[in-house]
Amino acid sequence: MSETTLPDRLSSDPSSEFHDADLLTRGVGVRFKGEERTNVEEYCISEGWIRVQAGKAKDRRGQPLTIKLKGPVEVYLKED
């Protein structure tokens, strides 16, 4: 199995330039402040933040509203 380096920034939004569908289908896990998070929409390791959905609110284009949380971010590939 080849070792894959995870990108510094990754988004689950297909319209984002940081979206990588192949990597997302393999499964990426995110630990934020030492806690496993499953609701992360986007992350940036070098800047130390994640974006999570803010309730059920939507913007005018129908996309979920997100909030940025700052802190230490660790990412890893999930095992099958």
Side-chain angles (χ1 to χ4, degrees), residues 57-74:
K58 304 275 184 190
D59 67 5
R60 62 183 174 195
R61 292 179 211 97
Q63 300 296 320
L65 290 178
T66 60
I67 57 173
K68 184 188 282 188
L69 303 174
K70 294 185 178 191
V73 179
E74 302 171 41

Side-chain angles (χ1 to χ4, degrees), residues 16-57:
S16 172
E17 65 182 274
F18 302 107
H19 181 75
D20 184 352
D22 295 333
L23 189 58
L24 290 171
T25 56
R26 287 185 64 189
V28 177
V30 178
R31 257 188 225 98
F32 180 69
K33 294 185 178 180
E35 211 173 290
E36 182 72 23
R37 298 295 297 250
T38 58
N39 60 344
V40 176
E41 298 284 326
E42 185 175 2
Y43 72 78
C44 183
I45 299 170
S46 64
E47 295 177 14
W49 57 262
I50 62 171
R51 284 197 178 273
V52 294
Q53 192 169 353
K56 295 182 180 181

